[in-house]
């Protein structure tokens, strides 16, 4: 290995480390050492091998982004609350069909769970405007501005435990979908 190789490797690792500022210093050093070692091994095989290795890694900024995304996803999978997991998967949604599908399902399910939760909390406050009605105009459900004239409330206050079960079910299904997608994204490199 010559001075040119060493300078190119040092410059690449420096720019990579700078791009990894959000990580802990020990993690940055470990990643830098891993990449430096890989590039030194390639440089020992000559200019062509080093050029191929650098081209394979891509720019240090893009490589850093992949490390940061993986770090965020691993950290989010380790948490109980799914908000960071949803954000980590949404961040990948533009580059992965799986991430897009999981983020869409998760977001829709969480929004539905929240809407059902609002209905549950509103029932004791405005009981005549919250419910599931069936009348001449068909079915109406949720929190409405005025109760239907000819319809009858099918659930009454039973909408509260029913809504809690539905909201909890949606929350659990959405969280499970996001966790499965997160694990699959890690296993298959974000595909």
């Amino acid at each position: 290995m010559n001075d040119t190789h060493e300078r190119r490797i040092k410059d690449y690792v420096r720019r990579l480390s700078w791009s990894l500022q959000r990580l802990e210093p020990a993690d940055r050093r470990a990643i830098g050492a891993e990449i430096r070692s890989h590039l030194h091994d390639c440089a020992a095989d000559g200019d062509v091998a080093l050029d191929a290795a650098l081209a394979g890694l891509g720019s240090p900024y893009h490589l850093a982004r992949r490390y940061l995304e993986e770090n965020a996803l691993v950290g989010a999978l380790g948490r109980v609350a799914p908000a960071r997991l949803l954000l980590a998967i949404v961040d990948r949604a533009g580059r992965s069909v799986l991430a897009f599908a999981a983020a869409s399902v998760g977001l829709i399910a969480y929004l539905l769970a929240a809407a059902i939760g609002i209905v549950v909390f509103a029932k004791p406050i405005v009981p005549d405007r919250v419910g599931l009605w069936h009348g001449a105009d068909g079915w109406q459900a949720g929190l409405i501005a005025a109760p239907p004239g000819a319809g009858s409330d099918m659930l009454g206050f039973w909408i509260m435990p029913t809504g809690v079960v539905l909201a909890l079910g949606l929350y659990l299904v959405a969280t499970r979908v996001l966790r499965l997608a997160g694990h699959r994204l890690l296993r298959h490199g974000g595909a």
Side-chain angles (χ1 to χ4, degrees), residues 54-141:
L54 289 169
L57 290 173
S59 81
Y61 310 109
H62 289 107
L63 181 60
R65 180 182 170 115
R66 291 194 308 261
Y67 273 109
L68 292 171
E69 285 177 348
E70 185 171 318
N71 184 53
L73 189 54
V74 168
L77 283 168
R79 295 182 180 276
V80 175
R84 286 205 177 153
L85 180 57
L86 178 61
L87 292 175
I89 290 179
V90 164
D91 189 43
R92 292 174 175 230
R95 295 178 308 282
S96 166
V97 173
L98 173 63
F100 178 79
S104 298
V105 167
L107 191 57
I108 290 168
Y110 287 141
L111 289 173
L112 282 173
I116 292 170
I118 290 169
V119 166
V120 167
F121 285 111
K123 183 64 174 180
I125 299 167
V126 285
D128 59 325
R129 293 185 180 178
V130 175
L132 173 67
W133 295 276
H134 185 265
D137 294 336
W139 291 91
Q140 290 183 336

Side-chain angles (χ1 to χ4, degrees), residues 2-15 39 46-48 50-52 54-55:
N2 59 40
D3 287 341
T4 304
H5 291 164
E6 185 61 39
R7 201 170 28 257
R8 289 176 68 196
I9 293 169
K10 186 176 181 180
D11 181 56
Y12 188 92
V13 172
R14 179 186 53 77
R15 290 186 294 147
L39 293 175
D47 288 339
V48 174
L50 179 59
D51 290 342
L54 289 169

Side-chain angles (χ1 to χ4, degrees), residues 148-190:
S152 59
D153 188 355
M154 304 301 288
L155 291 175
F157 277 92
W158 280 101
I159 199 166
M160 293 173 66
T162 304
V164 168
V165 168
L166 283 173
L168 184 59
L170 284 167
Y171 174 84
L172 293 173
V173 166
T175 301
R176 183 68 180 150
V177 165
L178 290 174
R179 289 194 183 286
L180 288 172
H183 285 292
R184 186 169 175 92
L185 288 166
L186 284 176
R187 266 195 319 271
H188 298 290

